[in-house]
Amino acid sequence: MRSVERLGNGVVLVVDRFESPLAAVVVAAGVGSLYEEGGKRGVTHLLEHMLFRVPGFDVDEAVEQLGGGNNAYTQRDSLMVTFEGISESAAGLVELAYRLYTNERYAEEDLERERAAVLSELRQTREDPSERVGELALRALFGDSDWGAPVGGYPETVEALTLPDLLEHKRRWLTAGNTMVVLSGGVGGEAVEAARRLFSKLEGEAPARGVPTAGAGPVRVVEERDVDGVYYASALRIAVESQAEAYALLHGAAFHLEAGTKSILFNVVRNPGVAYSYYVDFDVAGDVAFLLVAVESARGLEEARRAVASALKPREPPPYRLRYFDYLWRVSWRSPLNRAMTLAEYHIKGGDVRRIEEVFRKAAERGTAWLEGAVLGEAEAAVVPEKYL
């Protein structure tokens, strides 16, 4: 049973009850890297880290005492704080989530610790050729714009952020009118009432959003470095009529491209021996969307390029693939945390969470055939061994 309720102050509360020994609590704000000022790239990601720093209070110990775990994620248009634990602790997890979300007491020494952690993450991304090639492909597609910038920001902008910057960003965006709370799994009435009581205290309207920039990039970016294989990525800009519909279609396309041993990429990359692994990325916000396919440590650049081009040709899915989609969906849907995060993401994209199962399956039925006529532009990137070209 799933219900959607808007509290008097504007907070959206979704209760997704089903039989489970676990319960999940996800609090999501509609803000991410797309809505950051250019000079403050990475402020959302650094704030995400700081949410778990409450002076004089050990958040991780509190979560473990409740019998659960916690995490957080920054995306292009959302920030999520997540908790999952034993069902009888659901109300306690709600209280803990509210405490972290509303806390405004931060210490400078904690900021420096989390800044160092974020900078380490950024270095890892740049040093990992798999992640790097995806980042470069989006820059090749969107250029020096909001869409072309990395979600975590740049080292120089993260270095310059201050506590006042974080608090200003938090007060502007983590408001009642811009917050969603999802309770999923073995959630009792006490947890639901705790969510209503606590999150109804939040104040503030949804902030006015600017339109994220999506410039034209150089179309092709190649980086030479100390790697053995070729890392290649192709990024497509996709036309958007409905943000929620585009998100579902991209989800369905990603399933057919990469999930399982009968996926498109397994057939054109793995089976012929072009490369062992690959991944798919996608996103949509407003009227901008992209679909990205990357091949990791391929044996040759031209071979990887041909394989990805073949994979991205519009295709109707074979009927049996939909049974496999049902299987993977049900496996994922057994997890309260997976459900809560998926529901939060879909709501932020403008979708009706009460119809999510129906919408996503219909999208899977369309495979990648809908890409015909939907591609507005394309770009590519490669990370290759030194002196390869």
Side-chain angles (χ1 to χ4, degrees):
M1 183 179 68
R2 186 175 307 146
S3 65
V4 181
E5 172 185 359
R6 187 175 292 274
L7 304 182
N9 59 350
V11 170
V12 174
L13 174 62
V14 174
V15 180
D16 175 50
R17 282 196 181 101
F18 65 98
E19 187 174 341
S20 174
L22 302 177
V25 178
V26 169
V27 184
V31 61
S33 60
L34 290 176
Y35 303 102
E36 298 170 347
E37 298 175 21
K40 296 180 180 177
R41 298 280 187 206
V43 63
T44 310
H45 186 208
L46 185 54
L47 175 60
E48 171 219 307
H49 277 246
M50 286 298 291
L51 289 176
F52 292 89
R53 291 285 191 172
V54 181
F57 180 67
D58 190 324
V59 174
D60 294 324
E61 181 179 310
V63 174
E64 290 191 6
Q65 284 183 346
L66 288 168
N70 58 274
N71 214 328
Y73 304 89
T74 299
Q75 300 173 337
R76 292 176 183 85
D77 60 355
S78 64
L79 182 160
M80 293 189 191
V81 182
T82 71
F83 299 86
E84 186 179 53
I86 56 178
S87 57
E88 53 267 39
S89 292
L93 293 174
V94 170
E95 293 177 6
L96 185 56
Y98 177 77
R99 180 170 183 176
L100 269 60
Y101 198 73
T102 58
N103 172 59
E104 291 193 352
R105 292 176 54 244
Y106 299 117
E108 285 286 352
E109 56 267 31
D110 287 334
L111 173 60
E112 295 313 314
R113 292 188 186 101
E114 295 306 325
R115 190 198 311 277
V118 168
L119 291 172
S120 177
E121 285 187 65
L122 297 181
R123 287 194 299 271
Q124 285 183 319
T125 298
R126 293 195 175 193
E127 292 167 2
D128 182 340
S130 297
E131 293 191 54
R132 179 66 170 165
V133 76
E135 189 177 274
L136 291 174
L138 292 181
R139 187 187 302 173
L141 183 63
F142 294 115
D144 185 17
S145 67
D146 294 330
W147 275 95
V151 171
Y154 300 106
E156 58 271 21
T157 54
V158 172
E159 285 277 17
L161 291 170
T162 65
L163 273 183
D165 291 331
L166 296 183
L167 287 170
E168 179 186 11
H169 193 66
K170 186 175 191 291
R171 290 165 181 164
R172 180 182 179 191
W173 292 101
L174 273 61
T175 59
N178 197 39
T179 295
M180 177 187 192
V181 181
V182 184
L183 309 182
S184 185
V187 179
E190 183 184 1
V192 176
E193 287 308 310
R196 289 195 184 105
R197 172 175 52 83
L198 292 171
F199 283 92
S200 65
K201 298 177 183 179
L202 276 181
E203 299 179 349
E205 304 295 327
R209 293 176 179 273
V211 178
T213 58
V219 180
R220 187 168 189 258
V221 175
V222 179
E223 185 174 277
E224 293 188 357
R225 58 193 298 180
D226 184 17
V227 292
D228 293 328
V230 168
Y231 295 77
Y232 174 79
S234 176
L236 308 180
R237 180 166 177 174
I238 305 298
V240 178
E241 294 184 6
S242 160
Q243 180 179 245
E245 180 186 27
Y247 182 71
L249 287 171
L250 287 165
H251 182 279
F255 160 73
H256 288 293
L257 282 164
E258 69 175 338
T261 55
K262 298 301 291 183
S263 68
I264 296 169
L265 283 166
F266 196 98
N267 185 52
V268 302
V269 174
R270 175 74 178 277
N271 274 343
V274 175
Y276 176 76
S277 59
Y278 41 79
Y279 66 86
V280 177
D281 189 17
F282 64 89
D283 206 351
V284 56
D287 61 356
V288 177
F290 75 84
L291 174 64
L292 180 150
V293 171
V295 174
E296 301 171 309
S297 196
R299 61 190 178 189
L301 177 57
E302 291 305 319
E303 196 174 28
R305 179 185 284 121
R306 288 193 298 270
V308 171
S310 174
L312 288 171
K313 289 179 181 178
R315 287 176 168 85
E316 294 283 351
Y320 70 83
R321 285 283 293 175
L322 297 177
R323 297 295 287 174
Y324 188 59
F325 175 85
D326 292 339
Y327 162 68
L328 292 185
W329 183 270
R330 292 181 192 183
V331 169
S332 175
W333 228 229
R334 290 187 304 198
S335 162
L337 183 56
N338 286 347
R339 284 173 71 137
M341 291 181 63
T342 303
L343 292 170
E345 288 174 0
Y346 190 52
H347 172 81
I348 287 170
K349 301 300 184 186
D352 182 352
V353 298
R354 290 164 293 199
R355 297 182 56 241
I356 190 170
E357 293 92 344
E358 168 195 350
V359 170
F360 275 49
R361 194 177 195 283
K362 284 184 177 179
E365 291 172 1
R366 297 181 64 180
T368 60
W370 60 273
L371 285 172
E372 186 74 49
V375 178
L376 301 178
E378 55 187 302
E380 64 177 1
V383 175
V384 301
E386 293 172 349
K387 300 180 181 180
Y388 178 85
L389 299 177

